[in-house]
Amino acid sequence: MSWADPLSFLPEPSPSFIVLSLLLVISIPLILHFIIYNTTSDTLPTILLVGPSGAGKTALATLLERGHAAVTHTSQVPLTVEISLPVKIPVASSRFRSPNDPTWEVTKKLLIQDTPGHGKLRHYAVDSISKPQNMQGIIFMVDAAALSSDTSEGARQTAEYLHDVLLQLQKQVTESKSSKARKEMPVLIAANKLDLFTALPAPTVKSKLESEITKVRKSRSEGLLDSGIGSKDLDVGNEGDWLGDMGDGEFKFSQLEEFNVQIKVAGGNVTGADGSEVKQWWEWIGGIL
């Protein structure tokens, strides 16, 4: 045996050994690809559906689930349904994924958790927000027709509920003991019933709610002062119960961006003489998945 050829003592591989080696080289990557791309989470992403009673939340949940809105009544308990995005709605996380990928259809499934809108039952929504788990976003549904009147009690109640939801999200950042920043929480304000003549368009709904929340902030701070808390003790604008930027200025949804809350207002209608129109809401859902 020559030291110049140290492998000369090894036997020559048989044809069957070569064939077996080639099969392993080809099959192992294919098997790993199949296992990895067909393994999905047992828990689907969830979108929380909140808003005052009568806004159309349960009707929207059934529309997204079945393709048509069911006759509904005032909800007493949360309702969770599984939905699939329409084929034409793009999913943000799938923009670089081939349509032939086995997980293509799986990524287009999610859960919608509808919560009661009655004042005494809103703790269901608060609990879900405080324990988000797989929550990908929040849809806050409003009746755009009920906001049209300056004297409407519905506008004030809607603003108060939205204020409390957004404050809960803000506190998750300001009161967090973790140094790790919370992931961005998208919020869609779905202006429903735009098919009605009295309904406000989406941009007006946005400015109306911002104006009403400004009033809510002021009235609550005045309530604290009237209760005996001095102005020096009232910590507004920092980490207390003051939503958004500090001071007495107007509230804007953009103020929540520093707390990783991204708010969008989009209009539509769940029911109507010409059918439903919820394309913008579908696109928002696809954009956060």
Side-chain angles (χ1 to χ4, degrees):
M1 179 179 66
S2 172
W3 289 108
D5 188 10
L7 300 180
S8 60
F9 68 91
L10 295 176
E12 293 186 4
S14 64
S16 59
F17 179 79
I18 295 175
V19 172
L20 179 60
S21 300
L22 290 174
L23 288 175
L24 289 175
V25 170
I26 295 173
S27 61
I28 289 177
L30 291 176
I31 293 173
L32 290 175
H33 176 85
F34 180 82
I35 293 174
I36 293 173
Y37 281 91
N38 282 275
T39 301
T40 59
S41 174
D42 294 333
T43 305
L44 293 173
T46 301
I47 292 179
L48 187 65
L49 184 56
V50 300
S53 295
K57 301 185 300 298
T58 305
L60 175 62
T62 58
L63 173 66
L64 299 182
E65 178 194 21
R66 311 171 189 176
H68 61 86
V71 178
T72 63
H73 53 80
T74 303
S75 301
Q76 301 294 323
V77 294
L79 169 70
T80 301
V81 297
E82 180 180 315
I83 68 172
S84 297
L85 265 68
V87 176
K88 295 183 179 180
I89 300 298
V91 179
S93 60
S94 297
R95 60 186 179 274
F96 301 120
R97 185 172 292 165
S98 168
N100 298 322
D101 192 317
T103 61
W104 176 262
E105 292 297 327
V106 175
T107 59
K108 303 186 77 172
K109 293 182 181 295
L110 67 146
L111 299 177
I112 296 288
Q113 183 181 352
D114 174 28
T115 58
H118 190 278
K120 294 182 178 180
L121 300 174
R122 292 176 183 174
H123 60 88
Y124 289 113
V126 174
D127 291 343
S128 297
I129 294 173
S130 61
K131 302 175 182 177
Q133 296 181 350
N134 241 29
M135 189 169 69
Q136 296 292 109
I138 298 174
I139 297 178
F140 188 96
M141 202 158 192
V142 302
D143 182 346
L147 300 176
S148 58
S149 174
D150 291 335
T151 59
S152 172
E153 185 71 11
R156 183 185 64 82
Q157 293 179 356
T158 298
E160 287 181 343
Y161 190 11
L162 179 57
H163 172 279
D164 293 344
V165 168
L166 296 179
L167 184 60
Q168 181 78 9
L169 294 174
Q170 177 179 299
K171 285 184 174 182
Q172 288 181 352
V173 174
T174 59
E175 298 180 358
S176 175
K177 297 180 181 179
S178 173
S179 58
K180 183 179 180 181
R182 186 197 63 188
K183 70 174 184 178
E184 180 179 292
M185 182 57 65
V187 176
L188 171 67
I189 299 177
N192 190 26
K193 305 183 182 181
L194 289 192
D195 57 307
L196 300 181
F197 178 76
T198 56
L200 299 177
T204 308
V205 168
K206 178 177 180 291
S207 59
K208 177 74 172 181
L209 289 173
E210 289 176 333
S211 175
E212 290 294 328
I213 290 178
T214 300
K215 297 177 184 177
V216 172
R217 292 197 310 182
K218 182 179 180 181
S219 64
R220 292 192 179 182
S221 64
E222 290 176 348
L224 289 174
L225 291 173
D226 292 341
S227 68
I229 299 177
S231 58
K232 294 182 179 180
D233 299 323
L234 183 60
D235 183 22
V236 297
N238 292 319
E239 298 180 359
D241 291 332
W242 186 265
L243 180 66
D245 290 348
M246 63 182 299
D248 296 329
E250 294 184 356
F251 170 78
K252 298 294 181 183
F253 289 129
S254 58
Q255 296 172 8
L256 276 297
E257 292 178 1
E258 66 174 300
F259 304 105
N260 291 335
V261 179
Q262 298 293 329
I263 302 172
K264 178 178 181 179
V265 182
N269 55 279
V270 176
T271 60
D274 298 326
S276 62
E277 177 52 60
V278 295
K279 182 180 179 182
Q280 291 189 65
W281 302 344
W282 271 127
E283 291 175 344
W284 178 85
I285 292 173
I288 67 171
L289 294 180

